[in-house]
Amino acid sequence: MSDGDREDRSRPGRLDGSRVAVAVAAVVALALLARAVFLDARPFHWHEGRAGYWSLRYLDTGVYSYRPALGGPLVHLGTARTIAALGRSDAAARAFVAVVGGLLPAAALLFRGTLRDDETVALAALLAGSPLLIYYSRFLRGDVPAAAFGLVAVGGVVRHRDTGARWPLYLSAAAFALALGSSGFAVAYPVVWLVAAAFVFDEARVRGVPAAAFARATRGLAWLRATATPLARAAFVFLGVALLLFAPRGGGVAPGLWDPSTLPTAVSFAVSEAPERFVSLRFAHRLDPPADGESFIPAVVGYARTLVATAWPALGFGILGFLVERYRSDTRGVVAFGGYAAGFGLLVFPVVALPVAPWSVVHVVPLLALPGAVGLARVARWAGARATPADPALLLAVLLVASAGLVGYGGTAAGVYAAPEPGSPYAQFAQPSDDLDPMIAAAEAAIDDRAGDGDGSDVVYVGRDLHTGQEYALPPVERGDREAWGARLPLQWYFERMGAESSSVLSAGQLAEDPPPVVVTTPDQRVTVTTTLDGYEQYDLRLGLWDRTVVVFVEE
């Protein structure tokens, strides 16, 4: 292990090796429980509805190809598998991301050795208990998997450096490919990592010890020369995993990875067309002047506010741990790396995310947890050493401070499970604020009652705002169709999972003489549709935190 990076295991913070593993395993179990409980209580966000719908379509047709606007391929492929195994439900669709988020604390073991034993357990605790990570582990998006695999990629390199073993390098390569397959945010990870590494190398010069900085650079070059062959193998691991993720699935009707006759086309898509699609969608429009409300400084300020409101334990302990480590004589590069990467990410990810949404903050929290583990373990050590019955006053003070911290954490964590509302720091605008379950249950019963009665649609959308001529396109591409399809979200997921056939008309007058069991329209069409239908119950549903309402008519 390099100088200054391994703590003397005889110093405070050492635990028995098996006890560390058991402690981390217990933290993982609690993390999985926190992410699994009431997993289907919150209705699907628009992004979840989109991801869930296309996962169902892939499951039904066997056809899938990467589209950056729909998120990373790993989320769709993994979600389709959990739906197939657990059934068509909100909880089943969210299970893949929840499991990845619940297993994230196990990544702390990769840093054991560089971190003290108690710091390793503290890192697992921060990754398990950060409210923002819990919330978005219960959310069908790829941000938590991307952040998790990004931390594993860093941890693999650290583990290789500490032990000399080669498997951590291959783990890092696979993890980074999985991060890219989870979210487009992962494209920014190497930039953040390189800047943070440069700051770590430069620390010695800033401290007035240029020879140490030169020695670090020399060791880095020597390491690259010594590991050239394992690095080349790791590159092949990365390419292989990336190919598995980004290659299309044909389902027997389109080019697919598992069809030998179309394998070259599938490989070409993965290595050429998939990156081209990502760049054209995620980078090209960044060259244009930003729209109102998308300037850099407001984005960074909003990002920081969300970080403070939803991840203040990791932030507070992270700042403390970074400062403690910064002014030690033998600083550990990994701790400083986490602090610098989180700080630079605070500037990078708002630009990548424009407009900023709460889930973009997920990407800095695991990095912040590295110095946060040092801060949390230091506080725990200090409290344990001083809170003794011999000094009742100090014991009382420690208990009061700990109680205040737990109460504050409890208040923040409660928001993870609270009903969505406009003031929530976790929820984004496109989160439905009404309970959709009563309408869904009534719609499913009405559709089942009509089963076998005819070949018409089960669900009809009425009105120009909801009408599309590309009902089952993969996905709608014309602007008007795309906007109308988006205005329905997340209802497509719920109707598709019950096997309903959908269509749309421009006006209520175009409804068939025998209207479908479910009709969806906008409030401005309510009166017209009401006069057309008889014997239907109305459900007014807010499909956003504000300014998005639809009216659903369900046959009684």
Side-chain angles (χ1 to χ4, degrees):
M1 188 174 300
S2 59
D3 296 342
D5 282 335
R6 180 187 292 278
E7 287 282 355
D8 183 350
R9 301 305 295 274
S10 66
R11 297 173 64 179
R14 182 182 178 185
L15 303 172
D16 179 76
S18 60
R19 292 173 62 189
V20 175
V22 169
V24 172
V27 172
V28 169
L30 291 174
L32 288 168
L33 178 63
R35 286 149 177 81
V37 65
F38 306 124
L39 190 55
D40 59 352
R42 188 177 62 246
F44 261 30
H45 182 281
W46 299 356
H47 281 279
E48 295 184 284
R50 185 184 294 112
Y53 176 83
W54 292 112
S55 297
L56 285 176
R57 293 295 303 278
Y58 165 57
L59 192 61
D60 292 340
T61 66
V63 177
Y64 173 78
S65 63
Y66 171 62
R67 292 177 176 83
L70 304 181
L74 179 63
V75 174
H76 294 85
L77 299 175
T79 299
R81 295 292 174 262
T82 58
I83 292 173
L86 302 176
R88 301 189 174 205
S89 68
D90 290 4
R94 288 169 170 156
F96 174 74
V97 175
V99 169
V100 174
L103 294 176
L104 170 58
L109 293 173
L110 293 171
F111 298 91
R112 187 182 174 210
T114 294
L115 297 181
R116 293 176 174 178
D117 290 342
D118 60 345
E119 291 169 348
T120 301
V121 178
L123 175 58
L126 287 174
L127 295 173
S130 176
L132 187 69
L133 292 181
I134 297 175
Y135 186 93
Y136 281 104
S137 292
R138 300 161 50 83
F139 193 99
L140 184 51
R141 268 187 65 95
D143 300 282
V144 165
F149 291 123
L151 185 66
V152 170
V154 173
V157 173
V158 172
R159 197 69 182 168
H160 166 75
R161 185 203 61 181
D162 288 350
T163 66
R166 294 183 176 183
W167 66 263
L169 281 181
Y170 308 142
L171 174 65
S172 289
F176 182 51
L178 291 169
L180 289 173
S182 301
S183 171
F185 280 98
V187 172
Y189 288 1
V191 177
V192 172
W193 294 339
L194 287 173
V195 170
F199 274 100
V200 171
F201 274 109
D202 194 52
E203 270 191 350
R205 184 192 62 80
V206 174
R207 289 168 176 269
V209 191
F214 178 77
R216 280 184 173 181
T218 302
R219 286 198 302 270
L221 292 174
W223 176 80
L224 287 174
R225 287 194 296 269
T227 58
T229 299
L231 286 175
R233 293 171 181 162
F236 280 107
V237 171
F238 169 82
L239 291 174
V241 175
L243 175 62
L244 288 174
L245 291 174
F246 287 93
R249 272 61 171 173
V253 296
L257 180 63
W258 310 120
D259 184 348
S261 65
T262 62
L263 180 60
T265 303
V267 172
S268 176
F269 179 95
V271 301
S272 177
E273 187 172 346
E276 182 180 340
R277 287 185 177 187
F278 178 83
V279 170
S280 64
L281 180 69
R282 299 301 184 190
F283 283 99
H285 76 282
R286 295 280 191 255
L287 301 177
D288 299 327
D292 292 341
E294 292 188 358
S295 57
F296 174 70
I297 293 179
V300 173
V301 170
Y303 195 92
R305 285 175 177 169
T306 301
L307 181 63
V308 171
T310 63
W312 61 265
L315 177 62
F317 287 121
I319 293 173
L320 174 62
F322 179 80
L323 293 176
V324 166
E325 195 73 18
R326 180 71 178 80
Y327 295 103
R328 284 166 41 113
S329 59
D330 54 342
T331 61
R332 291 168 288 179
V334 169
V335 178
F337 174 89
Y340 289 131
F344 188 59
L346 187 63
L347 303 178
V348 171
F349 291 116
V351 176
V352 176
L354 284 174
V356 173
W359 52 70
S360 62
V361 183
V362 164
H363 300 273
V364 303
V365 176
L367 296 169
L368 197 57
L370 289 172
V374 175
L376 177 57
R378 175 63 66 94
V379 170
R381 259 182 255 131
W382 177 87
R386 288 165 176 76
T388 63
D391 191 345
L394 184 57
L395 176 60
L396 178 61
V398 170
L399 290 176
L400 288 175
V401 172
S403 299
L406 289 173
V407 169
Y409 172 79
T412 304
V416 171
Y417 303 97
E421 57 183 22
S424 170
Y426 301 98
Q428 193 255 3
F429 156 72
Q431 175 64 54
S433 50
D434 282 335
D435 182 10
L436 307 184
D437 286 344
M439 182 278 294
I440 294 166
E444 190 162 16
I447 291 171
D448 288 344
D449 286 344
R450 287 280 201 98
D453 287 353
D455 298 327
S457 298
D458 301 305
V459 180
V460 174
Y461 296 89
V462 177
R464 188 173 301 278
D465 292 340
L466 302 176
H467 175 69
T468 173
Q470 297 181 306
E471 196 67 48
Y472 288 99
L474 291 169
V477 293
E478 298 297 332
R479 180 175 179 81
D481 291 315
R482 187 169 64 244
E483 291 177 353
W485 200 88
R488 305 172 178 182
L489 289 167
L491 297 180
Q492 297 97 312
W493 151 256
Y494 291 105
F495 294 138
E496 183 69 19
R497 82 179 193 188
M498 64 179 72
E501 291 291 328
S502 300
S503 63
S504 62
V505 295
L506 289 171
S507 66
Q510 295 176 280
L511 289 172
E513 292 185 5
D514 183 16
V518 179
V519 175
V520 183
T521 190
T522 51
D524 61 300
Q525 298 285 329
R526 179 200 305 271
V527 175
T528 306
V529 174
T530 301
T531 59
T532 305
L533 302 177
D534 183 34
Y536 282 70
E537 185 174 357
Q538 297 184 30
Y539 294 86
D540 285 53
L541 302 175
R542 293 173 296 171
L543 299 184
L545 293 181
W546 61 87
D547 196 30
R548 173 65 73 86
T549 301
V550 298
V551 183
V552 181
F553 294 80
V554 180
E555 189 175 33
E556 295 181 349

